[in-house]
Amino acid sequence: MSLVKYEILNKVGEVHSFTKAAELLGLTQSAVSHAISSMEKDFGFNLIHRNRTGVTLTEDGITMLIEMRKVLSAEELLRQEAAHILGVAKGTVRVGLISTISTHWMPNIIRLMDQQYPGINIELREGDYYEIEQWLLNGEVDCGFLNRTSSKQFDFMPLKRDPLLCIVSSKSPLYDKEEVDLNEIEDIPFIMPSYKGTNDVIANFEKYNVRPNIRFHLTDEKGIISMVEHHLGISILPQLAMAGLMNNVRTIPLKQESFRTIGLSTKQKLSPAAKKFVEVLKQWLASVKE
């Protein structure tokens, strides 16, 4: 069966649309539809559900796509190894990342990659920790920035300890504090960062047996900061998420040791292009620390 058909199902599985998949692959919608129908005929079962809102993979389709991605990954690795033998750095690296990394780290890293390895293409996909780990498990990305990993299928390389800080507005009773004890937070309206995966803020509260007075759950860090700026509560966020704050808010260190570990989770067998990405990442981090 043609690898092109595997690539088509892979893209349909990502964007849940024949039209968008066709646009991204440079094909017609009818070509995408025909390829899917052809595979379903060859396999003898449905790969997707068609409905008014788009298309989703069936359980059988998900199973087959996971195996197809292994084939596509092996084919990409084969091309990269051939280029490596010829002394040329080529290929694609698919990276899963959280919003703070895409904002603060990736512009610098991509600039260095473009300078040193112009033949390597970087594909970025932003999500939360849970989504990134699922993408790794399903073969949708080659590496991903996480705060930890529970899977033995991947290597986890710690990169940075990012302090967790309390963020308060000028109307908060904590505003003039030099440091905040987590126990002082229990009686103040709290805006909880909410996302799937290991939540460092919740883990910290559980570690020190603190029950915050949660007013809102929000996933977007900018939204949380805006709530604090409008005096609707306080919160705790990683230091990297709190650049460019307004004058009426400030961040305060926590008395209890509190941080998240930012690391890179990778396949145990990296492609040559992915190895170059890791090298450049380490190079940039070393330059920042100097």
Side-chain angles (χ1 to χ4, degrees):
M1 189 173 289
S2 169
L3 289 175
V4 173
K5 292 182 179 179
Y6 293 177
E7 291 172 352
I8 289 172
L9 184 64
N10 181 40
K11 191 58 65 177
V12 169
E14 287 180 6
V15 300
H16 306 292
S17 165
F18 282 0
T19 303
K20 290 181 181 178
E23 290 175 357
L24 292 169
L25 294 171
L27 301 171
T28 63
Q29 183 176 342
S30 61
V32 170
S33 179
H34 181 269
I36 299 295
S37 297
S38 175
M39 283 190 288
E40 290 179 327
K41 182 178 179 181
D42 289 341
F43 290 135
F45 50 80
N46 291 334
L47 297 171
I48 63 170
H49 292 297
R50 299 167 176 82
N51 53 57
R52 293 180 181 178
T53 58
V55 295
T56 56
L57 270 64
T58 63
E59 289 188 13
D60 292 331
I62 293 171
T63 299
M64 296 303 293
L65 180 55
I66 290 173
E67 297 306 314
M68 288 179 191
R69 283 175 175 153
K70 292 177 183 178
V71 175
L72 291 171
S73 179
E75 196 266 342
E76 170 68 17
L77 179 59
L78 186 63
R79 288 201 304 264
Q80 291 187 26
E81 290 291 0
H84 183 65
I85 291 171
L86 293 173
V88 180
K90 287 187 176 181
T92 297
V93 184
R94 302 163 301 163
V95 184
L97 67 168
I98 53 177
S99 60
T100 48
I101 298 300
S102 64
T103 301
H104 298 286
W105 288 18
M106 288 311 298
N108 299 291
I109 295 166
I110 290 176
R111 179 178 53 81
L112 289 175
M113 287 293 295
D114 287 346
Q115 291 173 355
Q116 298 180 30
Y117 305 107
I120 296 177
N121 178 49
I122 307 294
E123 292 183 1
L124 303 179
R125 191 168 180 184
E126 192 174 280
D128 60 30
Y129 297 127
Y130 175 81
E131 290 171 322
I132 293 169
E133 189 154 25
Q134 291 305 303
W135 296 338
L136 281 163
L137 291 168
N138 294 336
E140 297 179 56
V141 296
D142 301 301
C143 54
F145 289 91
L146 296 172
N147 54 354
R148 66 202 67 187
T149 182
S150 57
S151 174
K152 295 181 180 179
Q153 297 183 40
F154 307 104
D155 293 327
F156 182 74
M157 177 175 60
L159 300 171
K160 178 182 176 62
R161 280 172 52 142
D162 189 17
L164 297 178
L165 304 175
C166 186
I167 175 173
V168 303
S169 76
S170 56
K171 292 185 178 180
S172 169
L174 303 177
Y175 187 76
D176 295 320
K177 293 270 189 178
E178 291 303 315
E179 65 176 11
V180 172
D181 189 311
L182 284 174
N183 293 293
E184 297 179 275
I185 290 174
E186 288 190 327
D187 297 326
I188 301 173
F190 189 82
I191 303 161
M192 177 65 76
S194 178
Y195 49 80
K196 290 183 290 184
T198 303
N199 188 315
D200 298 288
V201 176
I202 293 176
N204 220 40
F205 283 135
E206 291 176 348
K207 178 180 178 180
Y208 295 106
N209 196 29
V210 174
R211 295 184 178 181
N213 175 23
I214 300 173
R215 184 175 184 185
F216 304 116
H217 288 86
L218 293 177
T219 57
D220 182 61
E221 290 161 345
K222 291 181 180 178
I224 293 172
I225 292 171
S226 179
M227 289 287 185
V228 175
E229 289 171 345
H230 287 82
H231 316 294
L232 298 176
I234 67 171
S235 190
I236 293 174
L237 290 172
Q239 187 175 54
L240 272 179
M242 294 194 282
L245 297 176
M246 291 181 65
N247 292 332
N248 70 324
V249 300
R250 64 182 292 247
T251 59
I252 308 173
L254 294 169
K255 179 178 181 180
Q256 293 85 350
E257 184 180 49
S258 305
F259 61 90
R260 69 169 175 178
T261 299
I262 298 176
L264 187 71
S265 192
T266 64
K267 296 178 179 178
Q268 293 178 346
K269 180 173 175 56
L270 285 174
S271 68
K275 288 179 182 178
K276 297 299 184 186
F277 174 79
V278 173
E279 289 174 10
V280 169
L281 170 61
K282 290 180 177 179
Q283 171 191 331
W284 178 75
L285 283 172
S287 70
V288 171
K289 292 176 182 178
E290 290 175 357

